[in-house]
mmCIF file of all heavy atoms in Angstrom:
data_model
loop_
_atom_site.group_PDB
_atom_site.id
_atom_site.type_symbol
_atom_site.label_atom_id
_atom_site.label_comp_id
_atom_site.label_asym_id
_atom_site.label_seq_id
_atom_site.Cartn_x
_atom_site.Cartn_y
_atom_site.Cartn_z
ATOM 1 N N ASP J 176 -13.713 40.982 -9.124
ATOM 2 C CA ASP J 176 -14.974 41.295 -9.823
ATOM 3 C C ASP J 176 -16.196 40.649 -9.172
ATOM 4 O O ASP J 176 -17.305 41.201 -9.218
ATOM 5 C CB ASP J 176 -14.893 40.840 -11.303
ATOM 6 C CG ASP J 176 -13.920 41.665 -12.107
ATOM 7 O OD1 ASP J 176 -13.570 42.821 -11.682
ATOM 8 O OD2 ASP J 176 -13.507 41.245 -13.186
ATOM 9 N N LEU J 177 -15.977 39.541 -8.500
ATOM 10 C CA LEU J 177 -17.058 38.860 -7.742
ATOM 11 C C LEU J 177 -17.117 39.270 -6.290
ATOM 12 O O LEU J 177 -17.932 38.814 -5.533
ATOM 13 C CB LEU J 177 -16.817 37.354 -7.859
ATOM 14 C CG LEU J 177 -16.983 36.686 -9.251
ATOM 15 C CD1 LEU J 177 -16.576 35.262 -9.199
ATOM 16 C CD2 LEU J 177 -18.460 36.859 -9.740
ATOM 17 N N GLY J 178 -16.149 40.080 -5.861
ATOM 18 C CA GLY J 178 -16.116 40.539 -4.470
ATOM 19 C C GLY J 178 -15.536 39.520 -3.521
ATOM 20 O O GLY J 178 -15.687 39.641 -2.295
ATOM 21 N N MET J 179 -14.870 38.509 -4.082
ATOM 22 C CA MET J 179 -14.360 37.392 -3.265
ATOM 23 C C MET J 179 -12.939 37.699 -2.754
ATOM 24 O O MET J 179 -12.165 38.452 -3.319
ATOM 25 C CB MET J 179 -14.327 36.093 -4.078
ATOM 26 C CG MET J 179 -15.635 35.783 -4.786
ATOM 27 S SD MET J 179 -17.004 35.496 -3.658
ATOM 28 C CE MET J 179 -16.649 33.858 -3.142
ATOM 29 N N HIS J 180 -12.588 37.084 -1.619
ATOM 30 C CA HIS J 180 -11.255 37.125 -1.044
ATOM 31 C C HIS J 180 -10.292 36.249 -1.879
ATOM 32 O O HIS J 180 -10.703 35.300 -2.468
ATOM 33 C CB HIS J 180 -11.219 36.678 0.393
ATOM 34 C CG HIS J 180 -12.267 37.258 1.284
ATOM 35 N ND1 HIS J 180 -12.549 38.633 1.317
ATOM 36 C CD2 HIS J 180 -13.135 36.692 2.148
ATOM 37 C CE1 HIS J 180 -13.525 38.854 2.184
ATOM 38 N NE2 HIS J 180 -13.895 37.722 2.687
ATOM 39 N N THR J 181 -9.033 36.645 -1.886
ATOM 40 C CA THR J 181 -8.039 35.860 -2.591
ATOM 41 C C THR J 181 -6.925 35.447 -1.651
ATOM 42 O O THR J 181 -6.257 36.240 -0.994
ATOM 43 C CB THR J 181 -7.365 36.655 -3.793
ATOM 44 O OG1 THR J 181 -8.380 37.113 -4.665
ATOM 45 C CG2 THR J 181 -6.354 35.822 -4.434
ATOM 46 N N LEU J 182 -6.724 34.113 -1.526
ATOM 47 C CA LEU J 182 -5.557 33.570 -0.807
ATOM 48 C C LEU J 182 -4.369 33.571 -1.703
ATOM 49 O O LEU J 182 -4.382 32.986 -2.780
ATOM 50 C CB LEU J 182 -5.829 32.152 -0.290
ATOM 51 C CG LEU J 182 -4.651 31.413 0.294
ATOM 52 C CD1 LEU J 182 -4.054 32.141 1.481
ATOM 53 C CD2 LEU J 182 -5.067 30.011 0.692
ATOM 54 N N VAL J 183 -3.297 34.253 -1.320
ATOM 55 C CA VAL J 183 -2.041 34.317 -2.107
ATOM 56 C C VAL J 183 -0.995 33.403 -1.408
ATOM 57 O O VAL J 183 -0.609 33.680 -0.276
ATOM 58 C CB VAL J 183 -1.497 35.759 -2.214
ATOM 59 C CG1 VAL J 183 -0.295 35.767 -3.157
ATOM 60 C CG2 VAL J 183 -2.623 36.685 -2.810
ATOM 61 N N LEU J 184 -0.582 32.351 -2.098
ATOM 62 C CA LEU J 184 0.391 31.392 -1.528
ATOM 63 C C LEU J 184 1.766 31.931 -1.985
ATOM 64 O O LEU J 184 2.046 32.102 -3.185
ATOM 65 C CB LEU J 184 0.162 29.984 -2.049
ATOM 66 C CG LEU J 184 -1.269 29.443 -1.682
ATOM 67 C CD1 LEU J 184 -1.482 28.104 -2.407
ATOM 68 C CD2 LEU J 184 -1.433 29.300 -0.199
ATOM 69 N N LEU J 185 2.656 32.126 -1.052
ATOM 70 C CA LEU J 185 3.968 32.763 -1.318
ATOM 71 C C LEU J 185 5.073 31.730 -1.532
ATOM 72 O O LEU J 185 5.122 30.690 -0.945
ATOM 73 C CB LEU J 185 4.362 33.659 -0.157
ATOM 74 C CG LEU J 185 3.265 34.659 0.301
ATOM 75 C CD1 LEU J 185 3.871 35.646 1.289
ATOM 76 C CD2 LEU J 185 2.681 35.407 -0.863
ATOM 77 N N ASP J 186 5.930 32.068 -2.530
ATOM 78 C CA ASP J 186 6.936 31.167 -3.041
ATOM 79 C C ASP J 186 7.942 30.740 -2.003
ATOM 80 O O ASP J 186 8.279 31.559 -1.083
ATOM 81 C CB ASP J 186 7.631 31.879 -4.218
ATOM 82 C CG ASP J 186 8.399 30.899 -5.134
ATOM 83 O OD1 ASP J 186 8.225 29.711 -4.960
ATOM 84 O OD2 ASP J 186 9.150 31.385 -5.975
ATOM 85 N N ILE J 187 8.428 29.518 -2.083
ATOM 86 C CA ILE J 187 9.559 29.063 -1.360
ATOM 87 C C ILE J 187 10.517 28.424 -2.302
ATOM 88 O O ILE J 187 10.136 27.853 -3.350
ATOM 89 C CB ILE J 187 9.181 28.070 -0.204
ATOM 90 C CG1 ILE J 187 8.731 26.731 -0.801
ATOM 91 C CG2 ILE J 187 8.118 28.609 0.718
ATOM 92 C CD1 ILE J 187 8.564 25.660 0.272
#
Side-chain angles (χ1 to χ4, degrees):
D176 289 343
L177 294 171
M179 309 297 281
H180 312 311
T181 301
L182 170 60
V183 184
L184 302 173
L185 309 189
D186 198 10
I187 69 172

